[in-house]
Amino acid sequence: MKPTLFILAAGMGSRYGGLKQLDGVGVGGETIMDYSVYDAVKAGFGKVVFVIGKHFENDFRQKVLSKYQNHVETVVVFQSIDILPDGFAVPVGREKPWGTNHAVIMAKDVIKEPFLVINADDFYGYDTFKKAAEFLSGDLPGNEYCMIGFKLCNTLSETGAVSRGVCEVGTDGYLKKITERKEIIKSGDTIQFKDENGGMHPVPSDAIVSMNAWGFTKDYFEHSEKYFRDVFLPKNMENPKSEFFIPLMVDDLINSGTATVRCIDTDADWFGVTYAEDRPSVVQKLKNLVDSGEYPKKLF
């Protein structure tokens, strides 16, 4: 059974100033998603599922999905803040989406095979998809997941601070804990993060971080729905900025002994368009990859 690639493309792009998942940054006007799909198909993925916002469906189908005809099967699902379990309603004043793991739940009816979750606006590199496909194509009995772990030094933005989930990995290669570090920035030869009191603390450059590249089996949907309904919503309905993130769900599954997550390291360089100022650098990096022969000038 070929695994599925699940791309989180419903983000609002508030820091970027627009729908960055539709921005043509490649040599031939490709989006970053196009490179992920190209790499995934090459690595052996058999289907691509996108979660998007209903408000840009037409643009998405015209600018993105039309490229993949005759290359790979595609499915679109939609995330909306009013998609909630029975008994819950959107609180007055709530505008923010419910987060990445809520977005994952949107695909529960269309994904039956092992799947890799990634962000639409992140470039992961072929090694990420190759290693994920190898894991997800194996004999997985359920509740055995994976995360592609990047070195922190390979994931920094050249134009501003970033937030990263810093991972604690056991000697057995399994993920033990993820700690969210905000405002990580490189200063000279050191990398530091800012705590809630404004203090700066060093982080090892080779620390393993999560870039939202998660491999799951279909049982993950059931765990997520239950936690969202029974734990997250009752605790967070009154907080208009609360979000149900993937690491929150993963941490609960690890701590409860429900699931294991193997951390699969990669030396790949991540890059993305967190800020509008990142765009020129991303354009140049993709051009360099094309010029070096790693990608064709026209992907599809």
Side-chain angles (χ1 to χ4, degrees):
M1 179 184 298
K2 289 186 176 182
T4 286
L5 177 64
F6 183 28
I7 301 182
L8 305 177
M12 300 173 70
S14 56
R15 286 181 294 179
Y16 190 65
L19 294 172
K20 54 187 174 180
Q21 58 268 52
L22 300 184
D23 191 5
V25 291
V27 172
E30 296 89 354
T31 66
I32 289 181
M33 285 186 295
D34 291 333
Y35 288 89
S36 293
V37 173
Y38 179 88
D39 282 337
V41 172
K42 181 180 176 182
F45 285 77
K47 181 172 69 177
V48 183
V49 176
F50 301 88
V51 57
I52 66 172
K54 189 71 174 178
H55 61 287
F56 60 90
E57 178 186 5
N58 289 338
D59 280 348
F60 191 86
R61 290 189 182 279
Q62 292 173 9
K63 295 180 180 180
V64 180
L65 292 194
S66 60
K67 303 175 186 178
Y68 308 140
Q69 291 182 5
N70 303 320
H71 292 285
V72 66
E73 178 186 356
T74 59
V75 179
V76 173
V77 296
F78 303 98
Q79 183 183 24
S80 173
I81 62 172
D82 60 357
I83 302 178
L84 295 171
D86 292 342
F88 292 92
V90 179
V92 175
R94 174 86 191 196
E95 297 180 358
K96 195 174 187 64
W98 291 106
T100 53
N101 213 60
H102 178 256
V104 169
I105 295 173
M106 301 303 100
K108 65 184 178 68
D109 294 329
V110 300
I111 297 180
K112 306 302 180 185
E113 52 283 320
F115 61 101
L116 175 69
V117 180
I118 65 167
N119 293 332
D121 52 351
D122 289 342
F123 180 90
Y124 293 94
Y126 174 68
D127 190 56
T128 293
F129 300 95
K130 178 177 179 292
K131 289 179 175 177
E134 290 172 353
F135 180 90
L136 295 171
S137 298
D139 184 17
L140 299 176
N143 296 322
E144 293 186 10
Y145 311 141
C146 75
M147 182 201 77
I148 306 299
F150 286 72
K151 292 180 180 178
L152 175 60
C153 60
N154 292 337
T155 72
L156 302 178
S157 170
E158 299 172 1
T159 57
V162 298
S163 296
R164 296 287 180 259
V166 180
C167 301
E168 181 182 346
V169 182
T171 56
D172 58 359
Y174 284 90
L175 183 65
K176 296 173 65 177
K177 182 181 180 181
I178 300 177
T179 303
E180 186 72 12
R181 297 300 190 194
K182 298 182 178 179
E183 295 196 51
I184 299 176
I185 195 164
K186 187 173 182 179
S187 178
D189 294 330
T190 63
I191 300 174
Q192 298 179 309
F193 78 91
K194 184 184 292 186
D195 65 23
E196 60 272 15
N197 299 315
M200 300 300 294
H201 306 273
V203 190
S205 64
D206 62 350
I208 298 299
V209 297
S210 164
M211 297 307 297
N212 247 16
W214 300 96
F216 298 123
T217 45
K218 64 180 182 179
D219 48 273
Y220 185 77
F221 293 119
E222 182 179 349
H223 298 315
S224 296
E225 286 187 296
K226 185 176 187 303
Y227 189 94
F228 188 56
R229 179 189 65 239
D230 296 345
V231 180
F232 181 85
L233 287 176
K235 286 185 176 181
N236 294 280
M237 284 297 285
E238 303 307 315
N239 181 354
K241 295 185 178 180
S242 60
E243 293 187 70
F244 184 27
F245 291 121
I246 295 173
L248 175 65
M249 185 71 251
V250 169
D251 262 346
D252 180 80
L253 293 174
I254 292 173
N255 292 334
S256 65
T258 302
T260 60
V261 180
R262 179 177 291 279
C263 183
I264 303 174
D265 294 351
T266 180
D267 290 324
D269 287 329
W270 167 95
F271 56 85
V273 283
T274 304
Y275 305 93
E277 293 82 2
D278 292 325
R279 191 181 190 280
S281 174
V282 169
V283 170
Q284 185 60 52
K285 288 176 179 177
L286 290 173
K287 182 179 183 302
N288 292 343
L289 289 170
V290 171
D291 290 345
S292 68
E294 292 192 43
Y295 294 95
K297 288 184 179 180
K298 186 175 178 59
L299 294 180
F300 297 101

